[in-house]
Amino acid sequence: RDFNERCAQCSEVNWGLTDGGGFYCRSCHNVIERTREVVNTDFITNSRVQTISKGSKKQEKNEGGCEWYVCEGFQLVLKKQVEALEALGVHPQMKDEILCNFWRCYLQKSKQAYCKRPAAETVKTLSVCESSTDVDSDPERPSLLHLLSLSESEGDLQTDCSSFVSSVSKVSESTSVYSGSVDGSLYLMKNQKEKLRMTMPMTLSFCYMALLWMREPITLSEFLRFVVEGHIPYLNVFQHFPEKMKLCGLDLKIFCVESWPVYEEVFNKMHELAAYLDLPRFPDITESCFLHPDMLCIKYLMEANLPDELHNWTCRVVKKIGIGEVDFLTLMPGNKSTRKVKYDVLAAAVIIVVLKLLFLLDDHYEWLLSEFAEERNKNNTEVCIFYSGGPYFEFKRWYEVVKHSLDVKQKKLDEERAKCLWRCEKPLFYSVKKKSKVLKRRQMVVNLQNQFGKLSGSVQRAKKPNPSSFQLSWSEENTDGSCFHGHSLKGVLQEKCGLLTAMNPDYWLCTVKLCNEKLCGHLAHYREVEFPQSYHFVLGLFSFLLRIQPSYIHDEVCMIEHKLFNKKLYKKLKYNTVLRK
Amino acid sequence: SSNEHKLNFKKSKEACLSYIQDALLQKQWKRAAEFLTCYVESLEKDYSREHIGPSEMIWRIGTEILWHHSQSSMKEFNCFIEQMKTLGVKRYLKVCLEHVFHLLLNGQIDEAYQNLSLAESWRFGEQTAIQDKEMKLIQAYRGLLDYYSWSKQKNILLEHGEDGFSDLAVEQEMHGYFRKAAVNLKEIIKIPGVWDVFVKCYVDLLEFYGDHNEAHQVLNEYAYNSKFPANPNAHVYLYQFLKRQGESKKSLISALKILHDVVPSHELMIDFNTMLQKSKKRKKRRLGLEVIFTALDYAGWKENAKAWSCLARQVKQIVISEKHLDWIKQEWSSRKDWWPAFHFSRYLAKRNWQENKSLSYEKALVAGLLLGKDCKYFKYVSHQGCKAQLKRFRMLKKFVNRHNLVYLRISG
C-alpha cells in the first residue's frame, strides 16, 4: 500500500497485489519483483513473499510442491541446528535473538530479502524462468555444466552431476527441471566476489558465531565433534524440510553434503562472515569466561590426565605473553592486524609449551626425570605420599596409561569414520526421470543392509552416545593409579630465590623463524620425523581431542614460544647481525 | 592441504573397504558383514568412471561372506545372488556362472543345470554379443554336466551289462547326453584357453565311441597349437592317450619332450628316462641322463627311490661300458658343488638308511661312483649294509671299490 515508486513502463503509481503477493501495475500490468517485508519473526517457509508471475503454472508442474527459495532452505537448516543446540543446554536467547538477527542481517546484506531487488537481477530472473523451447537461443543463460563447475567441487557430487547433465540432452521445459527450488541455478551462478554465498558448512559458522557471541561454554572443536557425532543436524538435514519443498537437481549440490567440514574451514568462514555483516566488537572474553585459556587449560589438563599443579604453570605462561588479555581474546570483526584466536588450540598449545618447559621432551630428559621420580616413589611409603601431596609424577607411567587409552579411542574413531553412513531415507534425484531408478536402488540398499546387518552378529549399530564434553576421563577413585590429577611435580621443580622454577634448564624452539602465515597458510611446517617422539605424542594427544591436524597445534606452539622467548630471540638476531658486520 | 584430511564419502568408503578386506583375510565373517552393511550405500552413487564399481565389489564380497558365514544358508545365498544379477547387466552372465559354481560346490547339480539353461537363453540387445565369451563358458559347463549325466548312464549300462540285462532306454538317454555334451565341449576347446576338464571329458567321449582320430587331433591341437597358452597338462593328456592307444616309443618320447622342458620335475620324467635309457639312439640316451639328473635337482624328488634307481642304473651302465663317461662329467660339473650337501650328507645317510634301505642303496651307488668310496654317504651306508649282512650291499661295496677311480675322471 505504501509503495510509491513509479512504474517503469507507464510511469503511473497504481499498484496492486497479485495472488502470490507480488506487485503489479494496474495501468499496464507490468509485474515487478518487489519484496513485501515480513514483520513477524517466525521462521516459517514462505515467510518471504516473493513470487513471479508464472507462479500458478509452476505449482501445477511441481505435483503439489511449492515454490521455495534456497535461502528459505538454509533458514530451516539453521532453525534445526539451533534447536538441537538448545536441547544440549544452550540458552534460548541464542535462537530467539542472536542467530535470528545475524541471519536477517545476512539476508539483507546479500540482498536476498528485506530489500529491493536490483533491476538487473530482475531481468535475469525473468528470462531464466520463462519457458523456452530452444535452450540454446538465450546467449545469456549459462550452460548447466558451467553452473556445476562453479562452487567448490564436492568430488563425487561432481560426477553425479555430470552423468545427470549427459542425460538431459535437450530441455524443452523451463529451468524448474534443473532444481526444485526457484533460484537454485541462479544461486550457483551468483558472483561470489561481492556476496558471501551461503553454503552448508557456513551454517556451522553461523551457529558458532552465535555461540561465541553468547560466550557459551563450548569450543569450536567440541561443536564440530557434536556435529560429526550427530547431535547437531548437518548431514541430510534436508530430510526435515516439509513435504512440499521438493528437492531435486541443483538443490542437491547446495544442500547435500558429502564431507565433514574441518575446523579451519568453519573458523575462517566465521570470521569472514563477522566482517561481512559489519558486526561490532563481540562481547568480552574475560578471565571468568569458559573460553579464557586459564579455564580451558583446566579442562584439557584434566582430560589429558595431567597433574593439576601444571595449571599454575599454564597461568604463568598465559600471563607472561599476554594472551589472557581481554583485547587479545575478544573478537573484533574486520580487524585484519590481530591474529584470529583459536581458543581451544591456544589452550592446548600452552599446555604443550609448559610440558616442554618442565620436561624438555627431547626423548631423553623426560625419561630421566621419570626414572628419578620412580625411584622416589618406590622408597616412599603410602603415608609419606599422602602427606607430601601425592606421589611424584612419572612421565613414563603417564605416557603408558594415556597412550593405551588413546590408542583404543583412536582405533574406535577410525572404525566409526569407516562406518559413517551418508545417505538417508529421503531419496535424492537429479531429475524426475531418474526417480524410479533411485528408489529402486534405495530399496536394494535397504535390503542388503538388512541381510548383512543380521549377519553382523550381536554387534548391532550402537545408539548415538550421549554428547559428552570429555572424551577421555580419569577417576581418582581408581586404585590402579591410572589417574594423575593429584600427582605432584616436585620431582621436576626446584626452589630458587623463593620461586619455584623448573629443574630443566634447557628449551628447544620448534622453529627459529616463523613463516608468513598469509603466504603459505602456516606459521611453521610440521614434519613428524624432524621432532622428538614425545613431542609428537603430545601433539597427537591434543590432535585427537580437538579433531584437528597436529600441524595447527604446532603453529600455535610456535607462536607462543616466539612470544615467550621474544627478548632472547631478538637479542640473538641482533647479535648475529653485529657479527656479520 | 587441510582438505586432504577432510573425511568425505569417497574416503570413508575406501576406509570401509580396507576394513572389509582385513576382516576377509582373517576370516572374520561377522566383522566383514558389519562393515559391508555400511558400504552398500555406495550403490546409490555413480561410479561409472571407476574401474571396479561398488556393485561388483558388493557382489564379490557378499558372496564370500555368505558362503563362509556360519549362520548363512544356501537359501539366503541364492536370494542374494538373484539380487546381484539385477545390479549390473554387463556382468549378468558372469554372476550366473559363478552362482553355478557355488551350486556345484554345494552338490546341487540339478539346480546348477537349471541355472545354466536359463542363462543360455538370456538375450539382452548388444550385451549378448559383448558377453559372448561368458556365454560359451556357460554352454561348455552345461556340456560338462551333460557329460556327467552321460557318465552316470554309462555306468548303469555297464552294470546291467554285467548282470546280463540290456537296457535300451538307458542307452538312448546315454547317447542323447553324448550328443549334447559333445556339441558344447567341442565348441569351447576351439577357443584358445586352458580347458583341461573339458578336453579330458571330450576325449573320453570320443574314445568311448571309437573316434580315435578326432581324439588324437584334439589333443594335438591342445598341446601344440601356439595360440593356446602353454599348458603342461596338455602334454600329459596326449602322452596318456598315446600310451592307451599303444603307440610307438618314438611318439611317446616325442610327446614328453616339451613336458621335460616346461616341467622338469614332473613325475612322468621317470617314465621318460626309462624309455630314453633303453633307446638305441645315442642322443636319446644322452637326453635320458639329463632328464633324470634334472629331476633330482628338485627337493621333492630327494627321497624318490625309483628316480634314484633310474639314475643309478644308467650311471652304472655307463661306468661298466666305459663309454660316454664325458656325459656324466658334463652333468656333474654343474652339480658337484651342491649335490654333495644336498643329497649325500652324513645326516641324510643316517636318515635314509633308517627309513628306506632301497633308497639308501641306490643313492649310495651313485654317491660312490660320483664321489668315490671315501665319501661320507657311501662309507656310512655301505658299512651299515655290510654290518647288517645284506648281500647286495656287499656287492655294492665291491663294485664301487672296483671302479673307484671313476670319480676322479668325472670331476677332473
Side-chain angles (χ1 to χ4, degrees):
Chain A
R1 288 301 104 127
D2 347 338
F3 186 46
N4 283 327
E5 282 214 316
R6 288 187 176 280
C7 169
Q9 257 178 239
C10 67
S11 309
E12 291 275 6
V13 185
N14 191 1
W15 299 103
L17 273 178
T18 65
D19 290 358
F23 286 82
Y24 76 97
C25 172
R26 285 209 193 94
S27 318
C28 66
H29 299 284
N30 176 30
V31 178
I32 63 152
E33 291 200 281
R34 164 81 174 127
T35 326
R36 189 180 68 186
E37 272 205 49
V38 181
V39 179
N40 59 4
T41 52
D42 286 338
F43 283 84
I44 323 162
T45 48
N46 286 341
S47 59
R48 272 191 55 248
V49 188
Q50 178 189 22
T51 56
I52 306 152
S53 61
K54 309 242 187 226
S56 51
K57 209 173 178 184
K58 278 244 182 73
Q59 245 152 16
E60 279 160 25
K61 280 192 181 154
N62 281 349
E63 311 162 337
C66 69
E67 287 180 359
W68 59 279
Y69 288 80
V70 168
C71 59
E72 289 176 281
F74 278 118
Q75 197 164 289
L76 265 177
V77 170
L78 282 172
K79 178 170 176 246
K80 285 278 164 199
Q81 288 173 340
V82 82
E83 279 171 358
L85 280 168
E86 225 176 298
L88 286 177
V90 165
H91 198 277
Q93 189 192 22
M94 187 174 125
K95 170 182 162 199
D96 299 331
E97 290 176 30
I98 313 294
L99 191 58
C100 165
N101 283 330
F102 281 164
W103 178 242
R104 219 181 297 160
C105 183
Y106 170 77
L107 286 176
Q108 229 169 1
K109 290 261 174 185
S110 58
K111 299 197 170 57
Q112 288 176 78
Y114 305 106
C115 63
K116 208 160 57 173
R117 271 274 178 109
E121 270 209 59
T122 315
V123 173
K124 259 197 182 144
T125 322
L126 280 177
S127 70
V128 155
C129 293
E130 266 170 26
S131 24
S132 60
T133 45
D134 191 354
V135 170
D136 304 313
S137 66
D138 186 351
E140 270 189 358
R141 193 211 308 250
S143 73
L144 191 54
L145 267 173
H146 178 62
L147 285 175
L148 293 168
S149 62
L150 294 171
S151 76
E152 63 247 2
S153 54
E154 277 271 297
D156 303 308
L157 265 182
Q158 191 84 340
T159 31
D160 288 346
C161 287
S162 310
S163 75
F164 158 62
V165 164
S166 55
S167 70
V168 176
S169 44
K170 216 169 197 184
V171 182
S172 56
E173 303 152 49
S174 71
T175 24
S176 61
V177 98
Y178 287 168
S179 66
S181 63
V182 171
D183 59 340
S185 50
L186 195 67
Y187 201 79
L188 287 174
M189 192 179 71
K190 267 196 207 145
N191 189 345
Q192 287 164 277
K193 282 185 198 152
E194 313 137 4
K195 303 167 188 177
L196 208 56
R197 202 185 55 198
M198 191 65 184
T199 60
M200 278 304 290
M202 216 157 106
T203 60
L204 299 179
S205 301
F206 259 100
C207 287
Y208 184 65
M209 195 166 70
L211 286 169
L212 182 59
W213 184 277
M214 307 253 318
R215 293 177 293 181
E216 286 286 340
I218 180 171
T219 59
L220 178 55
S221 54
E222 209 169 357
F223 174 62
L224 289 177
R225 181 165 60 86
F226 287 162
V227 171
V228 172
E229 287 176 1
H231 305 297
I232 313 275
Y234 184 72
L235 201 64
N236 302 327
V237 172
F238 57 82
Q239 61 183 328
H240 300 297
F241 285 3
E243 255 305 302
K244 44 200 175 112
M245 271 173 83
K246 303 265 181 219
L247 243 90
C248 72
L250 291 168
D251 300 329
L252 270 57
K253 206 159 195 314
I254 302 169
F255 289 103
C256 290
V257 277
E258 292 204 336
S259 66
W260 293 111
V262 284
Y263 186 105
E264 298 75 49
E265 195 183 334
V266 178
F267 181 80
N268 291 334
K269 207 48 142 189
M270 188 205 87
H271 286 272
E272 224 182 299
L273 192 58
Y276 179 72
L277 297 179
D278 275 328
L279 293 178
R281 179 180 160 115
F282 272 52
D284 286 347
I285 308 282
T286 57
E287 274 169 8
S288 55
C289 219
F290 177 80
L291 295 172
H292 192 274
D294 286 343
M295 296 291 268
L296 277 179
C297 278
I298 297 179
K299 176 176 191 266
Y300 292 141
L301 282 171
M302 269 181 76
E303 207 165 359
N305 202 9
L306 288 166
D308 299 334
E309 276 183 35
L310 282 171
H311 188 243
N312 298 334
W313 291 86
T314 62
C315 290
R316 275 169 80 172
V317 168
V318 166
K319 190 150 184 187
K320 180 124 198 231
I321 58 177
I323 58 173
E325 300 301 310
V326 170
D327 290 332
F328 175 82
L329 292 171
T330 309
L331 173 59
M332 184 65 210
N335 186 343
K336 298 216 173 123
S337 56
T338 54
R339 190 157 185 273
K340 315 254 184 315
V341 181
K342 296 178 176 141
Y343 305 102
D344 33 20
V345 186
L346 186 66
V350 169
I351 295 176
I352 294 179
V353 168
V354 166
L355 287 175
K356 278 175 78 178
L357 281 169
L358 298 181
F359 297 95
L360 190 56
L361 294 188
D362 66 340
D363 284 345
H364 288 295
Y365 193 71
E366 65 272 20
W367 304 110
L368 231 67
L369 284 176
S370 188
E371 272 175 31
F372 184 61
E374 202 182 338
E375 275 302 310
R376 290 277 188 84
N377 277 335
K378 247 193 267 182
N379 295 334
N380 284 349
T381 60
E382 274 201 41
V383 175
C384 247
I385 290 174
F386 178 74
Y387 277 112
S388 62
Y392 285 77
F393 173 74
E394 291 172 49
F395 187 86
K396 180 166 175 235
R397 280 216 68 228
W398 172 82
Y399 172 83
E400 283 166 359
V401 167
V402 172
K403 180 163 173 37
H404 174 76
S405 292
L406 187 62
D407 285 347
V408 167
K409 292 269 166 165
Q410 183 71 58
K411 185 166 174 228
K412 196 161 164 231
L413 180 66
D414 290 339
E415 285 193 12
E416 287 301 309
R417 284 158 72 100
K419 292 206 270 191
C420 188
L421 284 180
W422 299 86
R423 288 296 158 109
C424 65
E425 272 312 310
K426 186 157 179 175
L428 302 171
F429 38 91
Y430 279 93
S431 64
V432 183
K433 286 184 224 163
K434 293 230 166 180
K435 187 171 179 180
S436 60
K437 185 176 175 198
V438 167
L439 288 174
K440 248 197 274 180
R441 273 287 160 108
R442 179 72 206 162
Q443 189 57 47
M444 179 171 295
V445 167
V446 170
N447 287 343
L448 289 172
Q449 281 175 338
N450 285 336
Q451 186 171 29
F452 288 101
K454 282 197 213 115
L455 293 176
S456 302
S458 52
V459 184
Q460 289 304 317
R461 276 195 76 77
K463 262 216 90 188
K464 235 175 9 185
N466 284 335
S468 69
S469 200
F470 284 86
Q471 296 175 73
L472 296 171
S473 61
W474 317 92
S475 174
E476 298 222 5
E477 284 149 18
N478 282 353
T479 48
D480 57 357
S482 61
C483 177
F484 293 83
H485 297 153
H487 286 217
S488 162
L489 292 176
K490 50 185 185 279
V492 305
L493 299 173
Q494 59 189 353
E495 220 178 287
K496 255 186 187 169
C497 320
L499 271 179
L500 268 183
T501 56
M503 268 171 63
N504 166 36
D506 299 323
Y507 194 91
W508 55 271
L509 285 174
C510 285
T511 178
V512 174
K513 189 156 186 260
L514 291 176
C515 257
N516 187 341
E517 203 166 21
K518 291 199 176 73
L519 286 180
C520 63
H522 283 276
L523 282 177
H525 297 272
Y526 178 66
R527 279 175 60 213
E528 185 189 334
V529 292
E530 291 169 6
F531 291 91
Q533 285 295 300
S534 301
Y535 178 70
H536 177 69
F537 174 73
V538 292
L539 267 190
L541 171 61
F542 287 103
S543 165
F544 170 80
L545 291 174
L546 268 45
R547 305 294 161 89
I548 193 174
Q549 286 302 303
S551 50
Y552 285 95
I553 308 179
H554 180 74
D555 275 356
E556 293 293 302
V557 170
C558 292
M559 185 270 289
I560 293 174
E561 286 178 349
H562 273 250
K563 278 195 170 38
L564 197 57
F565 298 105
N566 191 22
K567 290 206 195 85
K568 287 208 177 122
L569 276 171
Y570 180 64
K571 236 196 275 177
K572 189 173 183 200
L573 281 168
K574 211 175 161 192
Y575 184 62
N576 281 342
T577 50
V578 166
L579 270 183
R580 264 187 239 123
K581 279 186 193 160
Chain B
S1 69
S2 66
N3 284 341
E4 285 162 15
H5 305 285
K6 216 164 153 170
L7 182 68
N8 59 20
F9 188 99
K10 189 167 173 199
K11 283 201 195 118
S12 80
K13 292 311 168 204
E14 277 170 9
C16 194
L17 265 185
S18 92
Y19 277 104
I20 294 175
Q21 186 181 40
D22 283 345
L24 287 176
L25 287 170
Q26 292 174 52
K27 302 201 200 300
Q28 294 171 325
W29 310 114
K30 283 207 178 94
R31 193 170 149 88
E34 191 189 328
F35 281 94
L36 184 62
T37 312
C38 304
Y39 181 75
V40 293
E41 60 172 15
S42 302
L43 284 176
E44 295 186 79
K45 288 196 63 64
D46 175 30
Y47 275 74
S48 53
R49 289 191 194 161
E50 303 274 326
H51 180 55
I52 296 183
S55 48
E56 186 168 350
M57 284 287 187
I58 291 170
W59 164 48
R60 292 202 183 277
I61 295 170
T63 303
E64 280 309 299
I65 294 175
L66 286 170
W67 187 249
H68 291 107
H69 198 290
S70 51
Q71 281 162 22
S72 153
S73 65
M74 202 60 198
K75 187 168 161 217
E76 259 193 65
F77 183 85
N78 289 335
C79 173
F80 171 74
I81 297 290
E82 292 305 323
Q83 275 188 305
M84 291 299 106
K85 283 181 188 170
T86 65
L87 259 189
V89 73
K90 290 186 190 156
R91 262 192 323 275
Y92 180 77
L93 287 180
K94 216 192 274 188
V95 177
C96 284
L97 195 55
E98 299 224 1
H99 186 202
V100 162
F101 293 156
H102 282 100
L103 288 168
L104 288 173
L105 281 170
N106 201 40
Q108 294 173 280
I109 315 246
D110 291 332
E111 280 85 351
Y113 195 87
Q114 272 166 28
N115 272 291
L116 284 171
S117 304
L118 205 68
E120 231 183 308
S121 62
W122 179 78
R123 299 279 177 274
F124 200 96
E126 58 176 25
Q127 280 299 318
T128 325
I130 294 172
Q131 295 184 44
D132 177 60
K133 287 203 178 100
E134 285 85 347
M135 186 58 92
K136 284 245 157 49
L137 273 175
I138 285 175
Q139 287 165 335
Y141 276 97
R142 192 166 73 77
L144 191 66
L145 291 182
D146 285 326
Y147 166 85
Y148 178 67
S149 303
W150 171 87
S151 185
K152 275 203 289 193
Q153 299 301 93
K154 181 187 84 170
N155 289 337
I156 293 173
L157 210 61
L158 289 173
E159 270 174 36
H160 288 186
E162 278 170 17
D163 296 340
F165 297 124
S166 78
D167 200 328
L168 201 63
V170 173
E171 208 177 315
Q172 296 278 42
E173 240 189 293
M174 190 184 91
H175 293 320
Y177 282 125
F178 158 70
R179 274 190 290 275
K180 283 203 276 186
V183 151
N184 283 326
L185 293 175
K186 184 172 180 175
E187 275 307 301
I188 192 77
I189 60 182
K190 277 193 206 156
I191 306 172
V194 179
W195 310 123
D196 289 358
V197 154
F198 301 135
V199 165
K200 274 175 89 169
C201 297
Y202 188 49
V203 166
D204 189 26
L205 287 172
L206 290 170
E207 278 193 89
F208 183 84
Y209 286 94
D211 195 348
H212 305 291
N213 280 337
E214 176 73 7
H216 195 169
Q217 201 169 356
V218 162
L219 288 169
N220 263 339
E221 267 291 293
Y222 194 50
Y224 295 120
N225 186 340
S226 55
K227 287 206 193 100
F228 280 69
N231 183 355
N233 292 336
H235 301 276
V236 173
Y237 298 153
L238 178 61
Y239 171 77
Q240 288 168 339
F241 172 78
L242 294 172
K243 203 165 167 197
R244 284 196 295 272
Q245 298 297 308
E247 293 283 331
S248 69
K249 284 280 187 293
K250 188 171 171 199
S251 46
L252 289 177
I253 284 173
S254 111
L256 287 178
K257 263 221 187 76
I258 298 185
L259 186 61
H260 163 68
D261 289 334
V262 173
V263 190
S265 58
H266 198 278
E267 58 184 6
L268 283 175
M269 291 302 108
I270 293 184
D271 290 25
F272 195 32
N273 167 267
T274 309
M275 286 192 286
L276 289 168
Q277 261 192 51
K278 295 196 192 131
S279 167
K280 292 199 177 69
K281 299 249 168 70
R282 200 181 336 144
K283 253 191 177 168
K284 294 230 164 74
R285 293 200 303 274
R286 174 71 188 90
L287 178 62
L289 191 67
E290 182 191 319
V291 164
I292 194 69
F293 260 108
T294 313
L296 285 166
D297 281 340
Y298 290 86
W301 287 69
K302 274 168 105 165
E303 316 214 324
N304 191 325
K306 191 95 195 348
W308 281 106
S309 85
C310 285
L311 179 61
R313 186 178 346 127
Q314 199 165 9
V315 166
K316 185 173 177 182
Q317 191 265 323
I318 289 172
V319 163
I320 290 174
S321 72
E322 290 191 12
K323 270 200 279 190
H324 308 301
L325 275 173
D326 56 309
W327 290 358
I328 302 182
K329 186 172 175 179
Q330 279 163 17
E331 290 300 327
W332 188 238
S333 73
S334 63
R335 292 175 170 93
K336 62 178 187 246
D337 292 325
W338 61 282
W339 265 44
F342 191 57
H343 286 302
F344 304 125
S345 66
R346 192 176 151 75
Y347 167 76
L348 278 172
K350 274 186 166 167
R351 212 177 82 182
N352 294 152
W353 173 255
Q354 274 173 355
E355 291 174 359
N356 190 343
K357 306 246 179 330
S358 301
L359 174 69
S360 62
Y361 173 84
E362 305 292 349
K363 279 180 76 173
L365 175 55
V366 174
L369 290 175
L370 295 178
L371 295 169
K373 68 174 168 54
D374 292 321
C375 79
K376 288 181 265 192
Y377 196 92
F378 177 78
K379 258 173 107 168
Y380 181 84
V381 170
S382 64
H383 175 73
Q384 292 294 323
C386 293
K387 214 168 70 176
Q389 297 192 334
L390 293 169
K391 185 176 177 194
R392 55 176 174 160
F393 284 92
R394 271 190 281 132
M395 308 281 286
L396 172 66
K397 198 167 180 183
K398 278 195 200 145
F399 180 79
V400 170
N401 280 333
R402 209 182 317 144
H403 296 278
N404 190 34
L405 297 174
V406 163
Y407 84 95
L408 288 171
R409 286 170 68 186
I410 55 171
S411 58

